[in-house]
Amino acid sequence: MNTIDSITLEVSDLPGAEAFYSRAFDLGDRLRLSRSDAATSGFRGYTLSLIVRQPADARLVLDDAIAAGATVLKPAAKSLWGFGGTVQAPDGAVWNIATPSKKDAVPPSRTIENFVLLLGADDVKASKAFYVERGIRVGKSFGSYVDFEMPEASIGLGLYKRAALAKSAGVDAAGSGSHRIVIGGGLGEVTDPDGFAWAQTA
C-alpha cells in the first residue's frame, strides 16, 4: 500500500518539459508532467535522485541532461559516499545523479537502478512521525536524515533537513510558493507537515 508509483512535476512549459525529460532521463510512467502556473520561487524543498551502477553511467546520464538543457549545480566528482553530480532541469526541479561506486567495472549504461525522492523538512522529527503513523517504516535514521524502507518496485523516499538538503544540492535554501510536485502513491489524498501533496494511485 505505502509505495510511491509516480512523481508528477508541475511545469509552466509542458511541451518543453516533455522534450527535456524524454531526452535526459526517460523514466517512463514513474515521472509525469502537468502544466501549472502556480507561484513558486527559489528552492522548492526537494531533490530527485537517480542512482546508477558506476561513475561512467553517472557521467553519461549527466551529459545527456546537460545536452538537453539542464544547468550544472555541482559538477560530477568523487565524494565520501561515491560519485555523482547535480543539475537543475529547465522547469526548476533539482536532480542528483549518483552511484555508491567509485570505479567503473563494465561499459557505460543509462540504466537507472533506483529513483529516490528526498524531501526537505523544517522539522525532521515531525515529518518522520507523519510518515511512520501512516505505515511507512524507517530504514535508516540519524541526525537530520531519514531513509524510509520502501518496497522494491517503489520510488524511494527520504527526509533531510531543508537547509542541509539545499546545501548538498548546491542551491540557496530560500524559496517560497508551490513545491510544484505531487507524490503519487498509496497514502491517499494527504499533505505532509512541509506541504508536500500526495495523490492516490492504483
Side-chain angles (χ1 to χ4, degrees):
M1 290 292 293
N2 296 333
T3 62
I4 300 177
D5 305 312
S6 65
I7 298 295
T8 298
L9 297 180
E10 298 176 339
V11 301
S12 299
D13 177 6
L14 185 57
E18 288 173 341
F20 170 79
Y21 285 110
S22 64
R23 182 178 177 189
F25 305 133
D26 193 20
L27 293 166
D29 290 340
R30 291 184 294 174
L31 181 67
R32 303 176 183 182
L33 302 169
S34 174
R35 191 182 181 286
S36 172
D37 287 322
T40 186
S41 65
F43 181 48
R44 294 181 188 166
Y46 70 88
T47 62
L48 295 159
S49 294
L50 302 179
I51 311 303
V52 295
R53 181 175 180 180
Q54 59 182 5
D57 300 353
R59 289 192 192 92
L60 184 61
V61 176
L62 283 164
D63 287 347
D64 284 348
I66 294 164
T71 301
V72 177
L73 296 176
K74 280 195 169 182
K78 287 184 180 179
S79 71
L80 181 64
W81 307 107
F83 180 92
T86 307
V87 297
Q88 188 167 33
D91 63 274
V94 175
W95 292 82
N96 178 48
I97 318 303
T99 174
S101 174
K102 295 183 181 181
K103 294 183 179 180
D104 296 321
V106 295
S109 165
R110 295 185 83 259
T111 300
I112 306 299
E113 297 198 333
N114 291 297
F115 182 11
V116 180
L117 170 63
L118 197 53
L119 302 177
D122 289 325
D123 183 338
V124 174
K125 184 177 179 180
S127 296
K128 175 183 173 181
F130 172 88
Y131 287 107
V132 169
E133 287 166 4
R134 285 158 179 79
I136 298 183
R137 296 180 179 178
V138 172
K140 298 176 184 176
S141 180
F142 46 89
S144 59
Y145 177 77
V146 179
D147 180 31
F148 291 104
E149 202 173 82
M150 304 297 282
E152 188 174 339
S154 176
I155 294 169
L157 178 65
L159 300 173
Y160 200 13
K161 190 73 174 176
R162 179 188 168 97
L165 179 60
K167 183 178 180 180
S168 72
V171 298
D172 191 291
S176 63
S178 173
H179 292 301
R180 287 216 186 173
I181 186 173
V182 177
I183 307 164
L187 289 190
E189 306 287 333
V190 297
T191 301
D192 81 359
D194 299 290
F196 290 101
W198 284 69
Q200 183 70 39
T201 57

